[in-house]
Short mmCIF file of all heavy atoms in Angstrom, two decimals:
data_model
loop_
_atom_site.label_atom_id
_atom_site.label_comp_id
_atom_site.label_asym_id
_atom_site.label_seq_id
_atom_site.Cartn_x
_atom_site.Cartn_y
_atom_site.Cartn_z
N THR A 1 245.94 -121.63 -113.97
CA THR A 1 245.80 -123.08 -114.04
C THR A 1 244.64 -123.45 -114.96
O THR A 1 243.72 -122.67 -115.15
CB THR A 1 245.53 -123.69 -112.65
OG1 THR A 1 244.32 -123.14 -112.13
CG2 THR A 1 246.68 -123.41 -111.70
N ASN A 2 244.71 -124.64 -115.50
CA ASN A 2 243.68 -125.11 -116.41
C ASN A 2 242.75 -126.06 -115.65
O ASN A 2 243.10 -127.19 -115.37
CB ASN A 2 244.34 -125.83 -117.59
CG ASN A 2 243.32 -126.22 -118.63
OD1 ASN A 2 242.12 -126.05 -118.44
ND2 ASN A 2 243.79 -126.75 -119.74
N ASN A 3 241.57 -125.56 -115.29
CA ASN A 3 240.61 -126.38 -114.55
C ASN A 3 239.48 -126.85 -115.44
O ASN A 3 238.35 -126.97 -115.00
CB ASN A 3 240.04 -125.57 -113.37
CG ASN A 3 241.08 -125.33 -112.31
OD1 ASN A 3 241.96 -126.15 -112.12
ND2 ASN A 3 241.00 -124.20 -111.65
N ARG A 4 239.78 -127.09 -116.70
CA ARG A 4 238.78 -127.56 -117.65
C ARG A 4 238.27 -128.93 -117.24
O ARG A 4 239.03 -129.85 -117.02
CB ARG A 4 239.44 -127.67 -119.02
CG ARG A 4 238.58 -127.26 -120.15
CD ARG A 4 239.36 -127.26 -121.41
NE ARG A 4 240.04 -128.54 -121.60
CZ ARG A 4 240.57 -128.94 -122.72
NH1 ARG A 4 240.54 -128.17 -123.76
NH2 ARG A 4 241.17 -130.11 -122.82
N GLU A 5 236.97 -129.04 -117.15
CA GLU A 5 236.36 -130.32 -116.79
C GLU A 5 235.97 -131.05 -118.07
O GLU A 5 235.34 -130.47 -118.95
CB GLU A 5 235.13 -130.10 -115.92
CG GLU A 5 234.54 -131.38 -115.41
CD GLU A 5 233.40 -131.12 -114.44
OE1 GLU A 5 233.52 -130.22 -113.61
OE2 GLU A 5 232.39 -131.83 -114.55
N ILE A 6 236.36 -132.30 -118.17
CA ILE A 6 236.05 -133.10 -119.34
C ILE A 6 235.01 -134.14 -118.91
O ILE A 6 235.24 -134.90 -117.98
CB ILE A 6 237.31 -133.80 -119.90
CG1 ILE A 6 238.31 -132.74 -120.35
CG2 ILE A 6 236.95 -134.73 -121.03
CD1 ILE A 6 239.65 -133.28 -120.75
N ARG A 7 233.89 -134.12 -119.60
CA ARG A 7 232.82 -135.07 -119.27
C ARG A 7 232.73 -136.13 -120.35
O ARG A 7 232.69 -135.82 -121.53
CB ARG A 7 231.49 -134.34 -119.15
CG ARG A 7 231.47 -133.39 -117.99
CD ARG A 7 230.15 -132.64 -117.94
NE ARG A 7 230.21 -131.62 -116.93
CZ ARG A 7 229.48 -131.64 -115.84
NH1 ARG A 7 228.62 -132.61 -115.62
NH2 ARG A 7 229.58 -130.67 -114.96
N ILE A 8 232.72 -137.37 -119.91
CA ILE A 8 232.63 -138.50 -120.82
C ILE A 8 231.22 -139.06 -120.75
O ILE A 8 230.69 -139.31 -119.67
CB ILE A 8 233.68 -139.58 -120.46
CG1 ILE A 8 235.08 -138.98 -120.62
CG2 ILE A 8 233.50 -140.82 -121.33
CD1 ILE A 8 236.18 -139.86 -120.10
N GLN A 9 230.63 -139.25 -121.92
CA GLN A 9 229.28 -139.78 -122.00
C GLN A 9 229.26 -141.30 -122.08
O GLN A 9 228.42 -141.94 -121.47
CB GLN A 9 228.57 -139.18 -123.21
CG GLN A 9 227.14 -139.63 -123.39
CD GLN A 9 226.47 -138.89 -124.52
OE1 GLN A 9 226.69 -137.70 -124.70
NE2 GLN A 9 225.67 -139.59 -125.30
N GLU A 10 230.20 -141.86 -122.84
CA GLU A 10 230.19 -143.32 -123.05
C GLU A 10 231.61 -143.83 -123.22
O GLU A 10 232.44 -143.16 -123.84
CB GLU A 10 229.37 -143.65 -124.29
CG GLU A 10 229.16 -145.12 -124.54
CD GLU A 10 228.27 -145.37 -125.75
OE1 GLU A 10 227.41 -144.53 -126.06
OE2 GLU A 10 228.48 -146.41 -126.40
N ILE A 11 231.89 -145.00 -122.68
CA ILE A 11 233.21 -145.63 -122.79
C ILE A 11 233.01 -147.06 -123.25
O ILE A 11 232.16 -147.78 -122.73
CB ILE A 11 233.94 -145.66 -121.43
CG1 ILE A 11 234.16 -144.24 -120.90
CG2 ILE A 11 235.26 -146.39 -121.55
CD1 ILE A 11 234.72 -144.20 -119.49
N GLU A 12 233.81 -147.47 -124.24
CA GLU A 12 233.83 -148.86 -124.68
C GLU A 12 235.29 -149.30 -124.70
O GLU A 12 236.12 -148.60 -125.26
CB GLU A 12 233.25 -149.00 -126.09
CG GLU A 12 231.81 -148.58 -126.22
CD GLU A 12 231.32 -148.59 -127.66
OE1 GLU A 12 232.00 -149.18 -128.53
OE2 GLU A 12 230.26 -148.01 -127.90
N GLY A 13 235.57 -150.44 -124.10
CA GLY A 13 236.94 -150.94 -124.13
C GLY A 13 237.30 -151.68 -122.87
O GLY A 13 236.47 -151.90 -121.99
N ASP A 14 238.56 -152.07 -122.78
CA ASP A 14 239.05 -152.84 -121.64
C ASP A 14 239.82 -151.94 -120.69
O ASP A 14 240.38 -150.92 -121.09
CB ASP A 14 239.98 -153.95 -122.13
CG ASP A 14 239.23 -154.99 -122.96
OD1 ASP A 14 238.05 -155.26 -122.65
OD2 ASP A 14 239.82 -155.52 -123.92
N PHE A 15 239.82 -152.35 -119.42
CA PHE A 15 240.51 -151.59 -118.39
C PHE A 15 241.51 -152.48 -117.67
O PHE A 15 241.27 -153.67 -117.47
CB PHE A 15 239.50 -151.07 -117.36
CG PHE A 15 238.65 -149.95 -117.86
CD1 PHE A 15 237.56 -150.20 -118.68
CD2 PHE A 15 238.94 -148.65 -117.52
CE1 PHE A 15 236.77 -149.17 -119.15
CE2 PHE A 15 238.15 -147.61 -117.98
CZ PHE A 15 237.07 -147.87 -118.80
N VAL A 16 242.64 -151.90 -117.30
CA VAL A 16 243.63 -152.54 -116.44
C VAL A 16 243.94 -151.53 -115.34
O VAL A 16 244.28 -150.37 -115.62
CB VAL A 16 244.91 -152.90 -117.24
CG1 VAL A 16 245.97 -153.44 -116.29
CG2 VAL A 16 244.60 -153.90 -118.34
N ASN A 17 243.77 -151.93 -114.10
CA ASN A 17 243.98 -151.02 -112.95
C ASN A 17 243.18 -149.73 -113.10
O ASN A 17 243.69 -148.64 -112.87
CB ASN A 17 245.47 -150.72 -112.75
CG ASN A 17 246.26 -151.96 -112.40
OD1 ASN A 17 245.77 -152.84 -111.71
ND2 ASN A 17 247.46 -152.06 -112.92
N ASN A 18 241.92 -149.86 -113.52
CA ASN A 18 240.99 -148.73 -113.69
C ASN A 18 241.39 -147.74 -114.77
O ASN A 18 240.91 -146.61 -114.79
CB ASN A 18 240.76 -148.00 -112.36
CG ASN A 18 240.01 -148.84 -111.37
OD1 ASN A 18 239.10 -149.58 -111.74
ND2 ASN A 18 240.39 -148.77 -110.11
N LEU A 19 242.28 -148.13 -115.69
CA LEU A 19 242.69 -147.27 -116.80
C LEU A 19 242.42 -148.01 -118.11
O LEU A 19 242.64 -149.22 -118.20
CB LEU A 19 244.18 -146.93 -116.71
CG LEU A 19 244.61 -146.13 -115.49
CD1 LEU A 19 246.13 -146.03 -115.45
CD2 LEU A 19 243.99 -144.75 -115.50
N MET A 20 241.96 -147.27 -119.12
CA MET A 20 241.71 -147.91 -120.41
C MET A 20 243.02 -148.47 -120.97
O MET A 20 244.06 -147.83 -120.86
CB MET A 20 241.10 -146.93 -121.39
CG MET A 20 239.65 -146.62 -121.06
SD MET A 20 238.79 -145.73 -122.36
CE MET A 20 238.50 -147.06 -123.52
N GLN A 21 242.91 -149.65 -121.58
CA GLN A 21 244.09 -150.33 -122.12
C GLN A 21 243.68 -151.10 -123.36
O GLN A 21 242.68 -151.81 -123.35
CB GLN A 21 244.66 -151.28 -121.07
CG GLN A 21 245.95 -151.94 -121.44
CD GLN A 21 247.16 -151.03 -121.36
OE1 GLN A 21 247.15 -149.98 -120.72
NE2 GLN A 21 248.22 -151.41 -122.02
N GLY A 22 244.43 -150.96 -124.46
CA GLY A 22 244.12 -151.65 -125.70
C GLY A 22 243.19 -150.81 -126.57
O GLY A 22 243.21 -149.59 -126.51
N LYS A 23 242.37 -151.47 -127.37
CA LYS A 23 241.44 -150.77 -128.27
C LYS A 23 240.25 -150.26 -127.46
O LYS A 23 239.76 -150.93 -126.56
CB LYS A 23 240.93 -151.71 -129.35
CG LYS A 23 242.01 -152.30 -130.22
CD LYS A 23 242.42 -151.32 -131.27
CE LYS A 23 243.46 -151.96 -132.19
NZ LYS A 23 244.24 -150.99 -132.89
N GLY A 24 239.78 -149.07 -127.84
CA GLY A 24 238.63 -148.54 -127.14
C GLY A 24 238.03 -147.34 -127.84
O GLY A 24 238.51 -146.88 -128.88
N LYS A 25 236.94 -146.85 -127.25
CA LYS A 25 236.22 -145.71 -127.80
C LYS A 25 235.69 -144.86 -126.66
O LYS A 25 235.13 -145.38 -125.70
CB LYS A 25 235.06 -146.21 -128.66
CG LYS A 25 234.24 -145.13 -129.31
CD LYS A 25 233.18 -145.77 -130.20
CE LYS A 25 232.35 -144.74 -130.93
NZ LYS A 25 231.34 -145.39 -131.80
N LEU A 26 235.91 -143.55 -126.77
CA LEU A 26 235.36 -142.59 -125.82
C LEU A 26 234.43 -141.65 -126.57
O LEU A 26 234.80 -141.12 -127.61
CB LEU A 26 236.47 -141.74 -125.19
CG LEU A 26 237.39 -142.38 -124.18
CD1 LEU A 26 238.42 -141.35 -123.70
CD2 LEU A 26 236.62 -142.90 -122.99
N ILE A 27 233.27 -141.44 -126.03
CA ILE A 27 232.36 -140.44 -126.56
C ILE A 27 232.19 -139.39 -125.47
O ILE A 27 231.73 -139.69 -124.37
CB ILE A 27 231.00 -141.05 -126.95
CG1 ILE A 27 231.20 -142.15 -128.00
CG2 ILE A 27 230.06 -139.96 -127.45
CD1 ILE A 27 229.95 -142.93 -128.31
N TYR A 28 232.61 -138.18 -125.78
CA TYR A 28 232.54 -137.09 -124.82
C TYR A 28 231.16 -136.45 -124.83
O TYR A 28 230.45 -136.49 -125.84
CB TYR A 28 233.62 -136.05 -125.12
CG TYR A 28 235.02 -136.58 -124.92
CD1 TYR A 28 235.72 -137.15 -125.96
CD2 TYR A 28 235.61 -136.55 -123.67
CE1 TYR A 28 237.00 -137.66 -125.78
CE2 TYR A 28 236.89 -137.05 -123.47
CZ TYR A 28 237.57 -137.61 -124.53
OH TYR A 28 238.82 -138.12 -124.33
N ALA A 29 230.79 -135.83 -123.73
CA ALA A 29 229.48 -135.20 -123.61
C ALA A 29 229.27 -134.10 -124.65
O ALA A 29 228.14 -133.84 -125.05
CB ALA A 29 229.30 -134.64 -122.20
N ASN A 30 230.35 -133.48 -125.12
CA ASN A 30 230.21 -132.41 -126.12
C ASN A 30 230.05 -132.95 -127.54
O ASN A 30 229.89 -132.19 -128.48
CB ASN A 30 231.40 -131.45 -126.05
CG ASN A 30 232.69 -132.06 -126.57
OD1 ASN A 30 232.76 -133.22 -126.95
ND2 ASN A 30 233.74 -131.27 -126.56
N GLY A 31 230.14 -134.29 -127.72
CA GLY A 31 229.97 -134.90 -129.03
C GLY A 31 231.26 -135.34 -129.70
O GLY A 31 231.23 -136.03 -130.71
N SER A 32 232.41 -134.96 -129.16
CA SER A 32 233.69 -135.42 -129.71
C SER A 32 233.83 -136.92 -129.46
O SER A 32 233.33 -137.44 -128.46
CB SER A 32 234.85 -134.68 -129.06
OG SER A 32 234.82 -133.32 -129.37
N VAL A 33 234.55 -137.60 -130.36
CA VAL A 33 234.73 -139.05 -130.25
C VAL A 33 236.19 -139.41 -130.52
O VAL A 33 236.79 -138.92 -131.48
CB VAL A 33 233.84 -139.80 -131.28
CG1 VAL A 33 234.08 -141.30 -131.20
CG2 VAL A 33 232.37 -139.47 -131.07
N TYR A 34 236.76 -140.27 -129.68
CA TYR A 34 238.08 -140.85 -129.94
C TYR A 34 237.89 -142.35 -130.03
O TYR A 34 237.27 -142.96 -129.16
CB TYR A 34 239.09 -140.53 -128.84
CG TYR A 34 240.40 -141.29 -129.06
CD1 TYR A 34 241.35 -140.81 -129.95
CD2 TYR A 34 240.65 -142.49 -128.42
CE1 TYR A 34 242.52 -141.51 -130.19
CE2 TYR A 34 241.82 -143.20 -128.66
CZ TYR A 34 242.75 -142.69 -129.55
OH TYR A 34 243.90 -143.39 -129.79
N GLU A 35 238.45 -142.93 -131.08
CA GLU A 35 238.41 -144.38 -131.24
C GLU A 35 239.80 -144.83 -131.64
O GLU A 35 240.37 -144.33 -132.62
CB GLU A 35 237.39 -144.76 -132.32
CG GLU A 35 237.11 -146.23 -132.36
CD GLU A 35 235.84 -146.55 -133.15
OE1 GLU A 35 235.26 -145.65 -133.78
OE2 GLU A 35 235.46 -147.73 -133.14
N GLY A 36 240.37 -145.75 -130.86
CA GLY A 36 241.71 -146.21 -131.18
C GLY A 36 242.37 -146.88 -130.00
O GLY A 36 241.72 -147.47 -129.14
N ASP A 37 243.70 -146.75 -129.95
CA ASP A 37 244.53 -147.43 -128.96
C ASP A 37 244.70 -146.59 -127.70
O ASP A 37 244.82 -145.35 -127.77
CB ASP A 37 245.92 -147.72 -129.54
CG ASP A 37 245.86 -148.63 -130.76
OD1 ASP A 37 244.98 -149.51 -130.80
OD2 ASP A 37 246.69 -148.46 -131.66
N PHE A 38 244.74 -147.29 -126.56
CA PHE A 38 244.99 -146.67 -125.27
C PHE A 38 246.10 -147.41 -124.56
O PHE A 38 246.20 -148.64 -124.66
CB PHE A 38 243.74 -146.76 -124.37
CG PHE A 38 242.60 -145.90 -124.80
CD1 PHE A 38 241.71 -146.32 -125.76
CD2 PHE A 38 242.42 -144.65 -124.23
CE1 PHE A 38 240.64 -145.53 -126.15
CE2 PHE A 38 241.35 -143.86 -124.60
CZ PHE A 38 240.46 -144.29 -125.56
N ILE A 39 246.94 -146.67 -123.85
CA ILE A 39 247.90 -147.26 -122.92
C ILE A 39 247.80 -146.46 -121.63
O ILE A 39 247.92 -145.23 -121.63
CB ILE A 39 249.34 -147.22 -123.47
CG1 ILE A 39 249.46 -148.09 -124.72
CG2 ILE A 39 250.33 -147.69 -122.39
CD1 ILE A 39 250.83 -148.08 -125.37
N LYS A 40 247.53 -147.16 -120.54
CA LYS A 40 247.39 -146.55 -119.21
C LYS A 40 246.43 -145.36 -119.22
O LYS A 40 246.71 -144.31 -118.64
CB LYS A 40 248.76 -146.15 -118.66
CG LYS A 40 249.67 -147.33 -118.42
CD LYS A 40 250.98 -146.91 -117.82
CE LYS A 40 251.86 -148.12 -117.60
NZ LYS A 40 253.18 -147.75 -117.09
N GLY A 41 245.30 -145.51 -119.92
CA GLY A 41 244.26 -144.50 -119.89
C GLY A 41 244.43 -143.33 -120.83
O GLY A 41 243.58 -142.43 -120.87
N LYS A 42 245.51 -143.30 -121.61
CA LYS A 42 245.76 -142.19 -122.54
C LYS A 42 245.73 -142.69 -123.97
O LYS A 42 246.05 -143.84 -124.23
CB LYS A 42 247.11 -141.54 -122.26
CG LYS A 42 247.18 -140.87 -120.91
CD LYS A 42 248.51 -140.17 -120.73
CE LYS A 42 248.57 -139.48 -119.38
NZ LYS A 42 249.82 -138.77 -119.20
N TYR A 43 245.37 -141.78 -124.89
CA TYR A 43 245.46 -142.12 -126.31
C TYR A 43 246.92 -142.46 -126.58
O TYR A 43 247.80 -141.65 -126.30
CB TYR A 43 245.11 -140.94 -127.22
CG TYR A 43 243.81 -140.20 -126.97
CD1 TYR A 43 243.65 -138.94 -127.49
CD2 TYR A 43 242.77 -140.75 -126.25
CE1 TYR A 43 242.47 -138.23 -127.31
CE2 TYR A 43 241.59 -140.04 -126.06
CZ TYR A 43 241.44 -138.79 -126.59
OH TYR A 43 240.29 -138.09 -126.41
N ASP A 44 247.20 -143.62 -127.11
CA ASP A 44 248.59 -144.00 -127.37
C ASP A 44 248.61 -145.10 -128.43
O ASP A 44 248.12 -146.19 -128.19
CB ASP A 44 249.26 -144.49 -126.09
CG ASP A 44 250.76 -144.31 -126.12
OD1 ASP A 44 251.39 -144.72 -127.12
OD2 ASP A 44 251.31 -143.74 -125.16
N GLY A 45 249.15 -144.77 -129.59
CA GLY A 45 249.15 -145.68 -130.72
C GLY A 45 248.33 -145.07 -131.84
O GLY A 45 248.25 -143.85 -131.96
N TRP A 46 247.67 -145.90 -132.64
CA TRP A 46 246.89 -145.40 -133.76
C TRP A 46 245.48 -145.07 -133.30
O TRP A 46 244.86 -145.83 -132.57
CB TRP A 46 246.83 -146.45 -134.87
CG TRP A 46 246.35 -145.86 -136.15
CD1 TRP A 46 245.08 -145.92 -136.65
CD2 TRP A 46 247.10 -145.11 -137.08
NE1 TRP A 46 245.00 -145.23 -137.83
CE2 TRP A 46 246.23 -144.72 -138.12
CE3 TRP A 46 248.42 -144.70 -137.14
CZ2 TRP A 46 246.65 -143.96 -139.21
CZ3 TRP A 46 248.83 -143.95 -138.23
CH2 TRP A 46 247.95 -143.58 -139.25
N GLY A 47 244.97 -143.90 -133.73
CA GLY A 47 243.62 -143.54 -133.34
C GLY A 47 243.04 -142.45 -134.22
O GLY A 47 243.72 -141.89 -135.08
N LYS A 48 241.77 -142.18 -133.98
CA LYS A 48 241.05 -141.15 -134.72
C LYS A 48 240.23 -140.33 -133.73
O LYS A 48 239.41 -140.88 -133.00
CB LYS A 48 240.12 -141.80 -135.76
CG LYS A 48 239.32 -140.82 -136.57
CD LYS A 48 238.47 -141.57 -137.59
CE LYS A 48 237.62 -140.64 -138.42
NZ LYS A 48 236.79 -141.39 -139.40
N LEU A 49 240.50 -139.03 -133.71
CA LEU A 49 239.79 -138.11 -132.85
C LEU A 49 238.95 -137.20 -133.72
O LEU A 49 239.47 -136.48 -134.57
CB LEU A 49 240.77 -137.28 -132.01
CG LEU A 49 240.17 -136.24 -131.08
CD1 LEU A 49 239.30 -136.89 -130.02
CD2 LEU A 49 241.28 -135.42 -130.43
N THR A 50 237.63 -137.26 -133.55
CA THR A 50 236.72 -136.42 -134.31
C THR A 50 236.13 -135.40 -133.36
O THR A 50 235.42 -135.75 -132.40
CB THR A 50 235.59 -137.27 -134.94
OG1 THR A 50 236.18 -138.31 -135.72
CG2 THR A 50 234.70 -136.41 -135.82
N ALA A 51 236.44 -134.13 -133.61
CA ALA A 51 235.96 -133.04 -132.75
C ALA A 51 234.51 -132.73 -133.07
O ALA A 51 234.00 -133.07 -134.14
CB ALA A 51 236.83 -131.80 -132.94
N VAL A 52 233.86 -132.04 -132.16
CA VAL A 52 232.46 -131.69 -132.32
C VAL A 52 232.23 -130.82 -133.57
O VAL A 52 231.18 -130.89 -134.20
CB VAL A 52 231.91 -131.02 -131.04
CG1 VAL A 52 232.51 -129.66 -130.82
CG2 VAL A 52 230.40 -130.96 -131.07
N ASP A 53 233.25 -130.08 -133.99
CA ASP A 53 233.13 -129.23 -135.18
C ASP A 53 233.41 -130.00 -136.48
O ASP A 53 233.41 -129.43 -137.56
CB ASP A 53 234.04 -128.01 -135.09
CG ASP A 53 235.51 -128.35 -135.03
OD1 ASP A 53 235.88 -129.53 -135.17
OD2 ASP A 53 236.32 -127.42 -134.85
N GLY A 54 233.68 -131.31 -136.35
CA GLY A 54 233.91 -132.15 -137.52
C GLY A 54 235.37 -132.31 -137.91
O GLY A 54 235.70 -133.12 -138.77
N LYS A 55 236.28 -131.57 -137.27
CA LYS A 55 237.71 -131.72 -137.57
C LYS A 55 238.19 -133.08 -137.08
O LYS A 55 237.82 -133.54 -136.01
CB LYS A 55 238.52 -130.60 -136.90
CG LYS A 55 238.26 -129.25 -137.52
CD LYS A 55 239.14 -128.19 -136.89
CE LYS A 55 238.83 -126.83 -137.51
NZ LYS A 55 239.58 -125.76 -136.86
N ILE A 56 239.03 -133.70 -137.90
CA ILE A 56 239.51 -135.06 -137.60
C ILE A 56 241.03 -135.06 -137.50
O ILE A 56 241.72 -134.50 -138.35
CB ILE A 56 239.05 -136.04 -138.70
CG1 ILE A 56 237.54 -136.14 -138.71
CG2 ILE A 56 239.70 -137.41 -138.50
CD1 ILE A 56 236.98 -136.95 -139.87
N LYS A 57 241.51 -135.71 -136.45
CA LYS A 57 242.93 -136.01 -136.32
C LYS A 57 243.02 -137.53 -136.32
O LYS A 57 242.52 -138.19 -135.42
CB LYS A 57 243.50 -135.46 -135.01
CG LYS A 57 243.59 -133.96 -134.98
CD LYS A 57 244.23 -133.49 -133.69
CE LYS A 57 244.36 -131.98 -133.68
NZ LYS A 57 244.96 -131.50 -132.43
N GLU A 58 243.65 -138.06 -137.37
CA GLU A 58 243.78 -139.50 -137.47
C GLU A 58 245.24 -139.83 -137.69
O GLU A 58 245.90 -139.26 -138.55
CB GLU A 58 242.94 -140.04 -138.63
CG GLU A 58 242.95 -141.55 -138.72
CD GLU A 58 241.94 -142.08 -139.72
OE1 GLU A 58 241.36 -141.29 -140.49
OE2 GLU A 58 241.74 -143.30 -139.73
N GLY A 59 245.75 -140.74 -136.89
CA GLY A 59 247.15 -141.11 -137.00
C GLY A 59 247.68 -141.56 -135.66
O GLY A 59 246.97 -142.17 -134.86
N LYS A 60 248.93 -141.22 -135.41
CA LYS A 60 249.62 -141.69 -134.22
C LYS A 60 249.47 -140.71 -133.06
O LYS A 60 249.66 -139.50 -133.23
CB LYS A 60 251.10 -141.92 -134.53
CG LYS A 60 251.82 -142.65 -133.44
CD LYS A 60 253.22 -143.04 -133.89
CE LYS A 60 253.91 -143.82 -132.79
NZ LYS A 60 255.27 -144.18 -133.16
N PHE A 61 249.16 -141.26 -131.89
CA PHE A 61 249.08 -140.50 -130.64
C PHE A 61 250.11 -141.07 -129.68
O PHE A 61 250.42 -142.26 -129.72
CB PHE A 61 247.70 -140.64 -130.01
CG PHE A 61 246.61 -139.92 -130.75
CD1 PHE A 61 246.03 -140.46 -131.89
CD2 PHE A 61 246.14 -138.70 -130.31
CE1 PHE A 61 245.02 -139.82 -132.57
CE2 PHE A 61 245.12 -138.03 -130.99
CZ PHE A 61 244.56 -138.60 -132.11
N LYS A 62 250.66 -140.23 -128.83
CA LYS A 62 251.63 -140.67 -127.82
C LYS A 62 251.30 -139.96 -126.52
O LYS A 62 251.28 -138.73 -126.46
CB LYS A 62 253.06 -140.34 -128.26
CG LYS A 62 254.12 -140.80 -127.29
CD LYS A 62 254.26 -142.30 -127.29
CE LYS A 62 255.39 -142.74 -126.39
NZ LYS A 62 255.40 -144.16 -126.17
N GLU A 63 251.00 -140.74 -125.48
CA GLU A 63 250.67 -140.22 -124.15
C GLU A 63 249.61 -139.12 -124.22
O GLU A 63 249.71 -138.09 -123.57
CB GLU A 63 251.94 -139.74 -123.44
CG GLU A 63 252.89 -140.88 -123.18
CD GLU A 63 254.14 -140.47 -122.43
OE1 GLU A 63 254.32 -139.27 -122.12
OE2 GLU A 63 254.95 -141.36 -122.14
N GLY A 64 248.59 -139.34 -125.05
CA GLY A 64 247.46 -138.42 -125.14
C GLY A 64 247.62 -137.27 -126.10
O GLY A 64 246.73 -136.45 -126.24
N ILE A 65 248.75 -137.22 -126.81
CA ILE A 65 249.03 -136.10 -127.72
C ILE A 65 249.12 -136.62 -129.15
O ILE A 65 249.80 -137.61 -129.42
CB ILE A 65 250.34 -135.39 -127.32
CG1 ILE A 65 250.20 -134.82 -125.91
CG2 ILE A 65 250.69 -134.30 -128.33
CD1 ILE A 65 251.50 -134.31 -125.34
N TYR A 66 248.46 -135.91 -130.07
CA TYR A 66 248.52 -136.26 -131.49
C TYR A 66 249.88 -135.87 -132.02
O TYR A 66 250.28 -134.70 -131.94
CB TYR A 66 247.42 -135.50 -132.23
CG TYR A 66 247.34 -135.77 -133.70
CD1 TYR A 66 247.02 -137.02 -134.19
CD2 TYR A 66 247.57 -134.77 -134.62
CE1 TYR A 66 246.93 -137.28 -135.54
CE2 TYR A 66 247.48 -135.00 -135.98
CZ TYR A 66 247.16 -136.26 -136.43
OH TYR A 66 247.09 -136.50 -137.78
N ILE A 67 250.64 -136.85 -132.56
CA ILE A 67 252.01 -136.55 -133.02
C ILE A 67 252.20 -136.80 -134.49
O ILE A 67 253.26 -136.51 -135.02
CB ILE A 67 253.06 -137.34 -132.21
CG1 ILE A 67 252.84 -138.85 -132.36
CG2 ILE A 67 253.06 -136.93 -130.75
CD1 ILE A 67 253.98 -139.68 -131.80
N ASP A 68 251.20 -137.32 -135.18
CA ASP A 68 251.35 -137.65 -136.59
C ASP A 68 250.86 -136.50 -137.45
O ASP A 68 249.92 -136.62 -138.21
CB ASP A 68 250.60 -138.94 -136.92
CG ASP A 68 251.02 -139.53 -138.25
OD1 ASP A 68 252.16 -139.33 -138.67
OD2 ASP A 68 250.19 -140.20 -138.86
N GLU A 69 251.50 -135.35 -137.32
CA GLU A 69 251.12 -134.17 -138.09
C GLU A 69 251.45 -134.38 -139.57
O GLU A 69 252.48 -134.98 -139.89
CB GLU A 69 251.88 -132.93 -137.60
CG GLU A 69 251.55 -132.55 -136.17
CD GLU A 69 250.16 -131.98 -135.99
OE1 GLU A 69 249.52 -131.58 -136.99
OE2 GLU A 69 249.68 -131.97 -134.85
N PRO A 70 250.58 -133.91 -140.47
CA PRO A 70 250.90 -134.02 -141.90
C PRO A 70 252.20 -133.30 -142.22
O PRO A 70 252.49 -132.24 -141.67
CB PRO A 70 249.72 -133.34 -142.57
CG PRO A 70 248.65 -133.28 -141.56
CD PRO A 70 249.33 -133.27 -140.22
N LYS A 71 252.96 -133.86 -143.11
CA LYS A 71 254.24 -133.26 -143.52
C LYS A 71 253.98 -132.16 -144.54
O LYS A 71 253.13 -132.30 -145.41
CB LYS A 71 255.16 -134.32 -144.11
CG LYS A 71 255.39 -135.51 -143.21
CD LYS A 71 256.19 -135.13 -141.98
CE LYS A 71 256.53 -136.34 -141.13
NZ LYS A 71 255.70 -136.54 -139.98
N ALA A 72 254.74 -131.08 -144.45
CA ALA A 72 254.62 -129.98 -145.41
C ALA A 72 255.12 -130.44 -146.78
O ALA A 72 256.09 -131.18 -146.88
CB ALA A 72 255.43 -128.78 -144.93
N ALA A 73 254.44 -129.98 -147.82
CA ALA A 73 254.81 -130.37 -149.19
C ALA A 73 256.00 -129.56 -149.67
O ALA A 73 256.26 -128.48 -149.27
CB ALA A 73 253.64 -130.17 -150.13
#
């Protein structure tokens, strides 16, 4: 099982029923940052996820998963 604990340092945005909804920003304790759209507390819509190592995923997310992978040339 995956018992990874995710710690959030800072949250900016709106909540509906205790879940992030609409535009928002999460700053994780490890330094990663997500800024973009949320639906029912998950990344959903357009967003940008910057990992602590500097890698960036920018584009479309669906139910917390990055789905806008670059197309092969």
Side-chain angles (χ1 to χ4, degrees):
T1 60
N2 186 354
N3 291 328
R4 218 174 52 166
E5 186 174 318
I6 298 172
R7 294 178 187 247
I8 298 171
Q9 181 174 321
E10 186 177 331
I11 300 173
E12 298 174 15
D14 294 325
F15 288 79
V16 175
N17 296 324
N18 293 322
L19 298 173
M20 287 192 77
Q21 186 75 18
K23 300 280 183 201
K25 181 176 182 179
L26 288 179
I27 301 172
Y28 294 92
N30 71 358
S32 295
V33 177
Y34 173 81
E35 191 165 7
D37 299 327
F38 289 85
I39 296 178
K40 296 182 180 177
K42 295 183 179 182
Y43 309 161
D44 206 310
W46 195 262
K48 179 178 178 181
L49 179 63
T50 305
V52 69
D53 63 5
K55 291 183 181 176
I56 296 173
K57 290 183 179 179
E58 185 171 10
K60 191 171 182 181
F61 289 79
K62 182 71 176 169
E63 296 182 358
I65 298 170
Y66 181 65
I67 60 169
D68 196 29
E69 297 289 343
K71 305 293 185 260

